[in-house]
Amino acid sequence: MAEQRKLAAILAADVVGFSRLTGADEDRTLARLRTLRSDLIDPTIAVHNGRVVKRTGDGAIVEFRSVVDAVRCAIEVQSAMVERNAGLPPERRIELRIGIHLGDVVVESDGDLMGDGVNVAARIEGVAQPGAICLSEDAYRQVRSRLDLPISDLGETRLKNIAEPMRIYSLQVGLPAQTKPRPDPLPAQSMGSALPDKPSIAVLPFTNMSGDPEQQYFSDGITEDIITELSRFRSLIVIARNSSFQYRDKATDVRRIGRELGAQYVVEGSVRRAGDRLRVTAQLIEAASGSHLWAERYDRELSDIFTVQDEVTRAICAAIPGQLERLAVEHLRRRPPNNLTAYDSELRGRWAFLHLAEGLGVALNWYEKAVEADPTYALAHAGLGMTSVFGILSLGLPPEPTLVRGREHARKAVMLDEANPTVNCCAAFTYHISGDHRLARKHAERAVSLNPNDPFAIYVLGCALSYNGEPEQALECFARSERLEPYAPDDQRLDTLCDCYYMLRSYAKVIETHEVYQNVPAFLYVTLAAAYAQDGQLEKAAAAVESYEQLRPPGHDLKTHITYWMRMCLRQSDRDHWLEGFRKAGMDV
């Protein structure tokens, strides 16, 4: 009997950070997921003529009669999730990522669907941000005239195990409708040739909603702390307190505020205190258009008012720079590549490095363009050094000449701007991959000291500690980084998590962490193979080695890779432990 094929709209969805949620509270998470399925997800699928093809633990593959039905269903579900998560702390939110593709599928005798149509939808889902819906270009063409949500063109994106890059579009539910292109941001204030385009931001006095004039000090304190802490981010121009506070208790249009203060973005918010409860809201607004770009609500118990003030301030200040970077990259994608400044190119390089689905080679390209455009730009040198040495692990670049090049760029970057936390972050990461443990720790600690609100700085400190014989402390850093920025891409973080768990002999955790990894580089299968081997699962270890062989980039030699990798370990016991796992997995090392 010939196989039956058809064209179908396929929706793939899963829960973001499911292993983390179940690890924290398995019973509650599973109960909430069952309720979501029975009360929201399954009824919505039925209303839009969908059919659940298969469940995948925390996710599902669903077939629809049309892309229009699939997108309508996805929007309805994601909109409802925004409401259900309102008021919950970030660590307790159940958030979905959804991918939709129109493609060819094979219908099995039991009704299951197989083939590229299903595989591509699942891979597209993997690149979606929490709460977002990603569409392939084929799916997007079916619905583009019907959408009134903000659309982001993610460009040509390389998907895991898909041969050719695909153009992907992202819909973010919960943002305001956008029917025409957003105006370009206001011209940034000039900061010299090295940083000509830094975004400028004004923090308006938070409104005291408590009805008690005595609480004004608290809302003013929150505002002042946010101004101070945002000023630690050297990538931002933050308008001074005295300028921002002149707008207190004035109903002034943010467009006018932006023009008067020279601010591209405005942060405003409110504080409401009732008894022992505190609610703080914050919004990020684009001044030129008045569009709300990001909003969050923080509900806290007031056991210690100063602790709560610090916690909320850190959370807000960790979220805003990431939002601004995302918006800036979306804007840059619309500009010709040969018309970008050193700052623009560095930002594109940093984005590609943190989102490995774009490709590490892409990051290297942008950083090299930034250095060429401005040889005195410290961040460009710092990023080029960091990306180069990471390319030894990820791309199979030759270790010795690459190490020399990477260290030289890191050294030059620190000389050019030693007080910049991001420069110190990148230098620390470069020295970490180089096996220079003392310098890695020194620059990582300096970065955190310069900006304790930067999730990337805290993450890099964890990296420095991981191979320095302190994996327990490294895990604490990774947890702090994730609390500050729960929506950061997993591309880098899960890699080092796997290494830490392995060095702590927590092989099951290595395997579990690997399962939620969205963009698995080839070399991580080597870690997985060692964990399987140490856990006695030798067949799976061999399969992981085979996955490495299939995915490894040209020039990525396993023996050279592992020899170099061992240089990263400070302790001989860790080197022996790694080599033992590799040999048990059947690797010739």
Side-chain angles (χ1 to χ4, degrees):
M1 178 178 173
E3 63 182 23
Q4 182 183 351
R5 288 181 173 271
K6 65 178 181 179
L7 192 66
I10 303 297
L11 180 152
D14 80 348
V15 175
V16 179
F18 185 69
S19 297
R20 172 178 56 80
L21 290 166
T22 54
D25 191 338
E26 183 177 51
D27 292 341
R28 177 181 291 181
T29 299
L30 294 177
R32 289 175 62 204
L33 184 57
R34 292 189 195 102
T35 301
L36 282 172
R37 281 176 173 167
S38 62
D39 294 354
L40 169 64
I41 297 173
D42 289 352
T44 307
I45 290 171
V47 165
H48 293 283
N49 306 302
R51 178 178 74 90
V52 177
V53 176
K54 67 180 76 171
R55 304 273 189 200
T56 57
D58 62 314
I61 301 294
V62 187
E63 176 192 11
F64 289 86
R65 296 185 308 184
S66 71
V67 176
V68 173
D69 284 339
V71 172
R72 285 175 175 166
C73 176
I75 291 172
E76 191 171 325
V77 168
Q78 293 288 44
S79 298
M81 293 302 297
V82 170
E83 295 177 8
R84 291 182 180 230
N85 283 321
L88 288 176
E91 65 272 12
R92 286 191 52 207
R93 294 175 188 162
I94 291 182
E95 294 180 295
L96 305 177
R97 52 165 67 97
I98 294 176
I100 297 174
H101 178 56
L102 178 67
D104 188 55
V105 297
V106 176
V107 183
E108 299 289 286
S109 58
D110 60 357
D112 194 7
L113 299 181
M114 308 289 283
D116 281 349
V118 177
N119 294 338
V120 170
R123 298 310 180 196
I124 292 172
E125 170 260 301
V127 302
Q129 293 295 311
I133 304 160
C134 278
L135 285 74
S136 67
E137 187 169 19
D138 288 338
Y140 176 66
R141 277 199 294 264
Q142 304 295 314
V143 296
R144 61 186 172 189
S145 62
R146 302 168 182 256
L147 294 170
D148 61 353
L149 288 171
I151 310 294
S152 298
D153 182 354
L154 303 186
E156 296 291 327
T157 303
R158 186 165 294 281
L159 304 174
K160 178 184 173 185
N161 294 340
I162 304 298
E164 296 296 326
M166 298 188 67
R167 195 171 197 88
I168 305 296
Y169 296 84
S170 177
L171 313 181
Q172 187 69 52
V173 175
L175 295 177
Q178 182 176 323
T179 56
K180 58 185 179 180
R182 180 183 297 141
D184 285 348
L186 295 171
Q189 298 177 16
S190 175
M191 293 296 289
S193 61
L195 293 174
D197 298 321
K198 288 202 290 189
S200 52
I201 186 166
V203 184
L204 301 185
F206 276 39
T207 305
N208 173 24
M209 303 287 288
S210 303
D212 178 3
E214 291 291 321
Q215 302 305 319
Q216 188 66 51
Y217 77 90
F218 184 82
S219 56
D220 284 356
I222 284 275
T223 308
E224 291 169 353
D225 283 356
I226 292 171
I227 291 172
T228 300
E229 297 307 312
L230 281 178
S231 298
R232 293 177 182 265
F233 288 89
R234 298 284 290 275
S235 58
L236 301 177
I237 300 170
V238 182
I239 306 302
R241 175 200 183 281
N242 290 342
S243 298
S244 295
F245 267 69
Q246 66 178 301
Y247 296 97
R248 178 200 272 165
D249 301 326
K250 294 181 182 177
T252 307
D253 186 355
V254 293
R255 296 175 181 86
R256 178 183 162 193
I257 294 174
R259 288 193 299 270
E260 292 178 352
L261 295 181
Q264 295 167 259
Y265 304 98
V266 171
V267 177
E268 63 179 18
S270 64
V271 177
R272 184 189 300 275
R273 183 175 177 181
D276 293 331
R277 297 284 300 172
L278 179 75
R279 170 170 293 176
V280 179
T281 64
Q283 299 91 35
L284 177 65
I285 304 167
E286 186 178 59
S289 64
S291 299
H292 281 68
L293 305 174
W294 168 85
E296 191 58 270
R297 186 173 76 192
Y298 305 90
D299 290 309
R300 297 291 187 271
E301 295 282 349
L302 274 178
S303 54
D304 182 337
I305 191 166
F306 294 111
T307 300
V308 170
Q309 184 172 326
D310 287 347
E311 180 187 344
V312 172
T313 298
R314 283 197 301 270
I316 292 171
C317 292
I320 287 174
Q323 294 294 324
L324 293 181
E325 281 192 8
R326 178 181 63 80
L327 292 164
V329 170
E330 289 177 8
H331 172 65
L332 290 174
R333 290 186 198 277
R334 301 196 295 267
R335 288 171 54 185
N338 59 356
N339 193 32
L340 301 185
T341 66
Y343 170 82
D344 297 333
S345 298
E346 185 277 327
L347 182 59
R348 289 295 303 268
R350 190 164 6 129
W351 183 266
F353 178 81
L354 294 172
H355 299 75
L356 285 181
E358 293 203 11
L360 194 71
V362 173
L364 272 173
N365 237 359
W366 285 116
Y367 278 129
E368 285 168 349
K369 287 180 180 178
V371 169
E372 183 180 350
D374 185 353
T376 66
Y377 189 13
L379 278 173
H381 285 286
L384 186 54
M386 172 181 68
T387 309
S388 296
V389 296
F390 195 72
I392 299 172
L393 300 177
S394 186
L395 301 176
L397 299 181
E400 295 309 324
T402 305
L403 283 176
V404 171
R405 181 191 189 209
R407 289 193 191 106
E408 179 56 29
H409 281 293
R411 186 189 65 81
K412 188 166 187 176
V414 173
M415 288 178 61
L416 286 167
D417 194 355
E418 64 180 354
N420 188 316
T422 306
V423 165
N424 280 279
C425 273
C426 297
F429 198 90
T430 302
Y431 291 126
H432 158 62
I433 299 294
S434 303
D436 295 328
H437 305 97
R438 183 182 60 81
L439 287 174
R441 184 164 188 161
K442 170 188 171 183
H443 286 287
E445 289 177 342
R446 180 184 291 174
V448 173
S449 175
L450 289 165
N451 190 354
N453 307 300
D454 188 347
F456 185 57
I458 297 168
Y459 158 76
V460 171
L461 178 57
C463 293
L465 295 172
S466 61
Y467 276 76
N468 210 26
E470 301 174 69
E472 298 95 339
Q473 291 83 346
L475 289 177
E476 292 175 7
C477 287
F478 298 144
R480 281 171 56 203
S481 175
E482 187 170 9
R483 280 196 300 272
L484 281 173
E485 193 179 15
Y487 307 133
D490 287 337
D491 295 16
Q492 309 289 344
R493 186 159 54 198
L494 294 185
D495 167 21
T496 319
L497 268 177
C498 286
D499 290 356
C500 283
Y501 287 134
Y502 181 88
M503 287 185 282
L504 288 168
R505 275 67 173 173
S506 298
Y507 308 122
K509 292 291 288 183
V510 176
I511 296 164
E512 175 190 332
T513 303
H514 191 280
E515 287 173 352
V516 301
Y517 209 124
Q518 297 299 322
N519 299 297
V520 185
F523 69 85
L524 194 59
Y525 282 99
V526 179
T527 306
L528 180 65
Y532 272 133
Q534 296 283 25
D535 201 43
Q537 302 184 58
L538 297 181
E539 289 186 7
K540 290 185 176 180
V545 175
E546 180 60 28
S547 294
Y548 160 79
E549 290 293 346
Q550 292 174 358
L551 294 171
R552 68 182 178 87
H556 201 282
D557 174 70
L558 182 58
K559 181 170 282 191
T560 302
H561 172 74
I562 289 176
T563 301
Y564 167 75
W565 192 346
M566 293 306 95
R567 291 171 51 174
M568 293 170 56
C569 297
L570 177 65
R571 299 186 300 190
Q572 184 62 44
S573 58
D574 285 333
R575 295 190 200 104
D576 294 341
H577 179 216
W578 279 112
L579 291 171
E580 178 185 64
F582 298 147
R583 288 165 182 155
K584 283 183 179 179
M587 302 178 212
D588 180 22
V589 295

